[in-house]
Amino acid sequence: MRNRVKIAGACCGLIAGFSSAATVQTGQTFTYKPTPAGGSEMVWYLVDWGDGTVTPTWHGLAYCSPEMSKVWNRPGTFKIQPQAITVSGRRIPLTGSPITVSGSVMKESVPLPAKSSGAPQATDESRQPQSYTIHFDRIEAVDRLELAKENGAAFPDNFCVEVSTDGGKVWNDIPAAVYRHFPDPGNKKVCIPLHGLSASDLRVTSYSPPKNVSGKYELRMKDPVAFGGGKLFCMDADPMAEADWNNMWLTYGSAANEVLHNFDPWWPTTRPDEGGLLGIGSTIWSHWNAMKGSWLNDPASRKYYEECVNSYPQDERGLMGVAPGTFYHLDHSKHPVATALFVSGVSQWYLMNRDPAFLQTKDAKTGVVLIEKVRKAMKFLLEDMDGKTGLLTNHDPKSDGTVKGFGSNYWDAWRFGYRSAYDATEFYISLYWMAQLETALGNADKAAEYMALRPLVKQRFNEVFWNEETGRFIGCEGKDGSRHDYGFTFVNLQAVAAGLATPEHAEKILQWLDGERIVKGDTSTGADIYFWKVSPRCNTLAAEAIKPSFWDDWNTEVGPGATGEYERQVQNGGHIFYVSHYDLMSRLRVKGTDAAMKRMDVILGEFHKDQLHRKPSNKFGITHVEGILCEFPESGLVPLFMLTGIMGIEPEAAGLRIEPSLPTAWKYAAVTEYWYAGHKYSIRAERGLQQPEVNGTSIKVPAEGRWLLKPGGDVIKW
């Protein structure tokens, strides 16, 4: 692994500028943060590294700036000179910084072999798009694209980079690689980061080409040059599907090639620049954040868990707030389920990173260490919410599970409260994670208590929440005895994926979703349940179908012609993409991997069309219809199925469990960079292998069986 050197630009608050003594070695990954331009206009930064190369960034708000990486291959003293370019075309010079690079000259990177389509033809049309296309003989993972000006030609002041994974039949924009008002780089190379983007072809397109010396419009540059890296996910599958799977993670997992308004993958963007993001800093997302980020060497995820997660308030009983400084979601209602999510998230993060200091982090306001907050949170679930009886109950009088109550979980447009199947599922999951955490800390007796409670929770869940008439779980039982069943697909699929549903109940749920069984009276039945293709409708019975409605109209109304009418609102007949993760895991659990892959193939096919950059509006102009982009970082759970499902990787007290479930047609599946217990591993599951093979941090395990990677690096049968 290369050493990393992190130095801030002047006035960034990290280091007050450079000194001439600041040095870095050739071959080291150097991390640089330009001085923020200031203000709230959208900008992108262009950094001249002083060695004949310049690097542009994606767009963001001017009061922030991104971290950029650079590796020098030759020694010398260089002047780093950044500037910011606004969306209106202003160029803002920023303070430059010298850097001394020591060490020996290193070999230059070898470009990927590619064929160029050649230069476009000059035209009198100023708005006729012109492109340079490069084609690879096979799908490649591309780390960066280099562009250079041809002598005598004008460099385009606007262009974008587009990608294809099918030989040029379908093209998609790369959101982070769209530039306006690009300064003339002179004889310098323009190095555009692509972060391992999978591509069969890349295209540099200008939609308003520059004028040539003859007054015609012509995009003319040297042939683009691509440099490769490694694919994150490798599988014995169709190369295009493998590419799309990797790119789905880049879009919705790491969000490395998305536009991020704060230059930070933990801050959502707003229209028209909406894209994927890595996480959101709220307790409601704390477990999803751990699922997505705990296996990455990602500074934003690490900052969230090691600096922010212990800033959430906790009352004297153990109830967790939803965000720093507040117990109320959007100033509306409390979310007791965030307490269970907090337990699961902290536990999974620790089990992945194995850093004892993490659990001893102190709350800056109260001084309480993190492990005590986690234990107090579990006590709240067991005692104040009656979890020890096997049936979680929310006693908040404002969230009583009736048609007059307030919502109390992520699905905030519904009045979940009192006895909620959604909350009960998260409680069941948190018992597992807390037991694993306590086992890892040497508290086997306490861990056994949590594991012993899970069968009772499962029994009570199926007794209380099963609706025999519809053959699925209800969403909620109110304090007044009311039972609310709107065909909540997200409730049912997560319960099946978690192992809460009995085999008979799980089978009936999938029959309903697949249209093999019609529920009388539902608004959506049969194939229409998957109207949105990439995931099922969130509910199959319209919120307005029952009066009075269980819908919480605090932010939108339902009913004929209303803004939240069925199919016009993300929580009422719309969909949220993350549910497909639990759909895939459910099918794997009940029907096997091949059945799950049929669903994944549909998702990959839809992603191939437009990378799911979908934000349709209803007739009122409201864009909360499909929940994929912007404030939905949990979309990244879907490509994570490669790890959670196909490779069966999950931390537990004894180590990292690897329990592959390869599709019948696959010979192998692999992840090339997986961080566990402070070490970077590549892990591969392979058919025909009889015993694990360990070569340093490169690990191969048989595709059949259950294996354990210990924190020290040994692999054993488990």
Side-chain angles (χ1 to χ4, degrees), residues 41-118:
E41 189 174 1
M42 290 288 286
V43 302
W44 57 277
Y45 293 85
L46 184 67
V47 175
D48 186 333
W49 300 107
D51 65 345
T53 65
V54 298
T55 300
T57 73
W58 59 98
H59 288 75
L61 295 170
Y63 58 76
C64 302
S65 68
E67 287 190 351
M68 308 172 67
S69 294
K70 170 70 175 177
V71 176
W72 274 273
N73 290 329
R74 59 184 173 88
T77 298
F78 304 96
K79 178 69 177 293
I80 301 176
Q81 184 60 59
Q83 63 176 306
I85 296 92
T86 72
V87 292
S88 60
R90 276 193 309 133
R91 298 180 188 176
I92 306 173
L94 301 172
T95 304
S97 306
I99 183 76
T100 298
V101 181
S102 60
S104 57
V105 176
M106 301 184 68
K107 289 183 179 180
E108 293 290 334
S109 300
V110 178
L112 292 168
K115 298 175 183 177
S116 175
S117 65

Side-chain angles (χ1 to χ4, degrees), residues 554-597:
W554 67 288
N555 60 0
T556 187
E557 295 182 359
V558 297
T563 56
E565 184 180 4
Y566 193 73
E567 203 176 283
R568 291 180 179 160
Q569 216 284 338
V570 69
Q571 296 189 55
N572 186 27
H575 81 99
I576 300 182
F577 187 36
Y578 90 87
V579 175
S580 279
H581 175 265
Y582 298 105
D583 195 348
L584 293 164
M585 294 299 290
S586 294
R587 293 174 188 279
L588 186 151
R589 175 182 286 272
V590 178
K591 296 189 173 183
T593 312
D594 289 350
M597 279 304 302

Side-chain angles (χ1 to χ4, degrees), residues 48 121 259 263 271 411 475 480 612 643 659 670 680 685 715:
D48 186 333
Q121 296 295 313
V259 173
F263 293 102
R271 203 170 180 88
W411 293 83
D480 60 359
L612 302 185
L643 301 182
E659 192 172 2
K680 182 177 73 172
V715 178

Side-chain angles (χ1 to χ4, degrees), residues 393-474:
T393 303
N394 181 357
H395 294 290
D396 184 345
K398 292 184 177 180
S399 297
D400 61 2
T402 71
V403 295
K404 295 182 179 180
F406 284 6
S408 64
N409 62 42
Y410 170 93
W411 293 83
D412 54 1
W414 296 94
R415 300 179 187 271
F416 284 93
Y418 197 60
R419 290 173 178 164
S420 159
Y422 182 95
D423 296 12
T425 301
E426 294 294 357
F427 171 57
Y428 182 77
I429 294 169
S430 73
L431 286 170
Y432 170 81
W433 285 111
M434 191 69 188
Q436 295 300 318
L437 176 63
E438 292 289 15
T439 301
L441 297 178
N443 302 314
D445 291 345
K446 182 58 69 175
E449 290 179 21
Y450 298 138
M451 292 302 289
L453 182 57
R454 278 167 52 92
L456 178 60
V457 175
K458 180 172 181 175
Q459 175 189 330
R460 297 293 289 137
F461 187 94
N462 284 273
E463 289 173 351
V464 173
F465 298 116
W466 185 252
N467 186 338
E468 193 63 44
E469 182 179 350
T470 60
R472 62 197 181 201
F473 293 119
I474 67 171

